[in-house]
Structures are given as C-alpha cells and as structure tokens.
Amino acid sequence: MAETFSFKLLATDGKARRGLVSMPRGEIRTPAFMPVGTGGTVKAMYMDQVRGVGADIILGNTYHLMLRPGAERVARLGGLHEFARWPYPILTDSGGFQVMSLSKLRKLTEHGVTFRSHIDGAPYEMSPERSIEIQGLLDSDIQMQLDECTALPAKPKEIERAMELSLRWAERCKAAFGDQPGKAMFGIVQGGDSAPMRIRSAQALKAMDLKGYAVGGLAVGEPQSVMLEMLDVTCPELPADRPRYLMGVGTPDDILKSVARGIDMFDCVMPTRAGRHGLAYTRRGKVNLRNARHADDPRPLDEESDCPAARDYSRAYLHHLVRSQEALGAMLLTWNNLSYYQKLMQDIRAAIEAQAFEARAAEITEGWARGDIPAL
C-alpha cells in the first residue's frame, strides 16, 4: 500500500487515459466507476459483493451522513470504513449539491449555507470548513470542496456568481484540509454551460495545485451534447498528472463519451436506482424486467456474464420478483447493474492499454443498438 496519495498515468489513447491512483487504503484503477453509498451503504448490496464486482472505491454522501447517523457518531464508531465494513478507498462529496437540491429552506452567504434538514426540519449550517471537518470525521480518503452547483438553465450572471463563490470556497477548503499525505482534496470546476466560465474556473483551480480535479454541475438536466461540449473545453485546462472526476455521471454511453474526452473517474446512482425499479443494464442495452414478455422466458439476462445475477437466474424469475416487489429482485438487478458497469470500466481500461479504445467503444455502442434478444 502507498503511504501517500499519488496518480500515475499508465497509457493514453487519443484523449482517453488509463491511470492508477495509489493511497494507503488501496489502489484505484482508472477510468473508474464509483458505486454510490449515499448513507454508508450501496443500496441492495453487501459490501463484499461491491468489492466482488470489481469496485476499487465507493462514494459516501456528506449531507446524508451528517444528518443521519451524524459525523461525530461515525467518528466515535471508528470512521466510515469501519462503520460500513469497507476497508478500501472512500470518496465523500461535500454535501453542497444535496443542500442546494433537497433543502427547501436555505440561505446562502459568503460564509456558507444555512438550511433545514429534509428529514425533520432541524437547522444546520454548512461552511467550507465544516464540510471538510465532517469529511475528516468520516475519515474519507478523497474529500471534495464545498461548492455551489447551479441548476441549468441559468442566467450568465448567476453562473458567474456561483462559480466565483465556489472558487473562494475552494481556497478555504484547501486551507481547512491542510497537509494530509495519504489523502486528497479535489477542487470542483463550475461554470454551468458557459465555456468561458468553465475555463476560468479550471485555470483558477489549477493554480491552487490540488491533488485532483472534478467537473461539477453537469448531468443536471442539460442535453448530453452540452455536457460533452463543456468537457471539451474544460479537460485541456486541467493538469495531465492529476485525476479528473466527472461528478454524477452517468449512463454507460455518457461514460464512454467522457472517457474519450479525458475523464478518469465517475459516480452515479443510476445503476443502483435502476436495479430497484426493474431495469437491467446489459451488453445488449437496457432490459425492463417489468415487461410481460419476460414472464415465461427461462433464459438468463446474459448467459455470458460473470455475474450470477445475470447468468444463473431466469428472466421469468426476475420478472416475478420485480412484479411482486420482492426485495430479492432489487438485490439481483442491482448486482447485475454494478457488475455490468464495472465490466464496462475493465473493458475500457484494457482497450486504452491496447490502443484500441475508439474501435472497442464503437463495438460496445453497436451491441446496445442491436438491442435485447427476441422474445420467445
């Protein structure tokens, strides 16, 4: 295990990058997909399953863990790794996105944001310093700066104001984080759908010499083309020797197209949420197990999959579980989905190493376009 945090670029293919993040709790092979463990659990999964499908790192949510069970309580119980029985790297977001999106009653100032819990209405205050303090109490390995994420569409003045505030907060987060050799704090590029704002944000964060950089405020309702355009202007402004993390993204297609633009890390609730709602991600595209066509189908989701959920259970059984709202249905489909996402990342990493990323991405996309096997 590495004693310090480091990132090594192992191969490139066009703008696509194959790298390795090393830190005391383990290595993260990039491009990487981080399963989302919002409240200290990846929903409907055991942690050994999460590790078994190939995840090197999971994400925890500062906002939710702060409200329940409380960061100080988690610290008393040994930190989030011990609490959740996940001894490998954990990234925590800053809580800023949830404060902006979930808290109806909030007041934003230069100091930070005051808000009421969406659970019980209790008042809280989140400043850049408090966000870093909470993430430290959770003992996460990669900590994110507090930022203001503006919903799109937004007026240019509002985008600029939020971006500049986020930069000032990044400076305060860096000071609060200090020097922690085995850990990292990432800055977050903001700027909405404005290319000049994105470039200004990226350049200012780069000047702070942080250990990693995230691109935030995308995949919040704008078309994919806008997200990709913002990546096209942002990624070249970020240092090549630091990891780049696209927050909250996304679909398998989003991931392929973002890797092609130089992104190294991803997270999204999509595979776990879809699994709880009867939707499976496969190499043939999305399969809706709620559909009646599966009711008498003895075939598995994917006979070639390494995942038992996809290989060993019939579509008829999965359909029955989903329609009956049995917990096992959500568990099996989430297992399948996270397995598929990790297999996709493994495929991407191998293709970059082989200098065949573009061709492999085209093959994967063609597989989705062909669609599912015909109904019986």
Side-chain angles (χ1 to χ4, degrees):
M1 298 291 183
E3 292 183 7
T4 58
F5 178 96
S6 67
F7 175 69
K8 186 176 182 182
L9 204 54
L10 302 177
T12 58
D13 185 2
K15 293 179 182 176
R17 295 146 50 96
R18 165 77 174 97
L20 188 71
V21 175
S22 300
M23 52 203 322
R25 286 193 172 104
E27 295 180 334
I28 305 161
R29 299 162 293 174
T30 66
F33 179 81
M34 300 181 282
V36 175
T38 302
T41 169
V42 177
K43 287 183 172 64
M45 293 284 285
Y46 297 111
M47 285 302 187
D48 57 354
Q49 285 179 305
V50 177
R51 185 65 173 179
V53 299
D56 295 332
I57 178 173
I58 61 171
L59 180 144
N61 185 272
T62 292
Y63 171 87
H64 289 283
L65 290 164
M66 171 188 69
L67 298 184
R68 189 170 55 193
E72 282 77 8
R73 176 174 288 153
V74 172
R76 288 195 303 271
L77 293 167
L80 190 54
H81 300 83
E82 178 68 21
F83 191 53
R85 307 302 298 164
W86 175 267
Y88 313 106
I90 294 177
L91 179 148
T92 45
D93 63 14
S94 68
F97 178 79
Q98 283 73 26
V99 168
M100 306 303 167
S101 62
L102 293 180
S103 303
K104 301 273 191 298
L105 300 171
R106 63 178 182 271
K107 182 181 178 184
L108 189 71
T109 67
E110 185 69 32
H111 175 72
V113 57
T114 54
F115 63 95
R116 291 194 175 274
S117 162
H118 73 284
I119 298 170
D120 59 9
Y124 286 87
E125 182 179 53
M126 179 81 83
S127 65
E129 292 79 10
R130 177 59 176 157
S131 176
I132 293 298
E133 181 187 16
I134 292 169
Q135 294 179 75
L137 288 165
L138 297 172
D139 195 26
S140 63
D141 304 282
I142 300 176
Q143 302 174 17
M144 304 304 299
Q145 72 151 103
L146 184 66
D147 63 329
E148 183 188 354
C149 177
T150 49
L152 295 176
K155 294 180 179 177
K157 286 281 189 191
E158 180 64 11
I159 290 172
E160 183 175 20
R161 183 202 59 75
M163 184 271 287
E164 295 287 1
L165 177 64
S166 295
L167 287 176
R168 294 192 296 275
W169 282 1
E171 291 276 17
R172 288 166 58 188
C173 284
K174 180 184 177 183
F177 182 81
D179 181 27
Q180 301 182 42
K183 298 186 176 187
M185 191 207 88
F186 285 17
I188 304 175
V189 176
Q190 287 292 353
D193 54 1
S194 165
M197 291 297 107
R198 288 280 172 184
I199 291 169
R200 265 174 59 186
S201 178
Q203 289 176 343
L205 287 169
K206 181 179 178 180
M208 295 182 201
D209 192 27
L210 303 170
K211 292 182 180 177
Y213 298 86
V215 182
L218 295 174
V220 290
E222 82 285 359
Q224 186 197 59
S225 59
V226 172
M227 179 186 81
L228 298 178
E229 181 188 345
M230 292 305 102
L231 293 181
D232 281 333
V233 300
T234 302
C235 286
E237 301 297 330
L238 298 174
D241 62 347
R242 311 289 162 91
R244 303 167 182 166
Y245 162 32
L246 179 56
M247 304 182 76
V249 175
T251 67
D253 184 57
D254 287 336
I255 289 172
L256 276 183
K257 288 183 168 64
S258 301
V259 167
R261 287 161 172 79
I263 294 294
D264 306 305
M265 299 169 67
F266 302 87
D267 82 280
C268 190
V269 298
M270 207 166 282
T272 46
R273 181 177 289 165
R276 299 195 304 277
H277 291 86
L279 194 65
Y281 285 93
T282 77
R283 61 191 169 91
R284 302 182 180 107
K286 290 184 287 189
V287 177
N288 187 347
L289 272 304
R290 299 189 69 84
N291 289 346
R293 60 164 282 186
H294 303 292
D296 293 300
D297 195 333
R299 298 171 296 180
L301 259 178
D302 186 352
E303 69 287 348
E304 294 182 12
S305 175
D306 293 335
C307 178
R311 186 191 63 222
D312 298 344
Y313 293 86
S314 72
R315 290 166 179 247
Y317 184 57
L318 295 172
H319 170 78
H320 157 69
L321 294 175
V322 170
R323 293 302 292 267
S324 303
Q325 297 185 330
E326 289 285 351
L328 183 59
M331 293 166 69
L332 289 173
L333 292 181
T334 300
W335 191 10
N336 166 80
N337 289 350
L338 287 181
S339 176
Y340 177 74
Y341 266 64
Q342 294 299 338
K343 178 68 170 65
L344 176 66
M345 305 316 293
Q346 181 184 332
D347 216 348
I348 288 170
R349 292 191 294 265
I352 295 170
E353 288 177 4
Q355 301 292 293
F357 174 71
E358 190 175 343
R360 184 63 188 128
E363 288 174 4
I364 292 168
T365 305
E366 281 173 29
W368 298 331
R370 281 196 296 271
D372 195 17
I373 53 177
L376 289 175

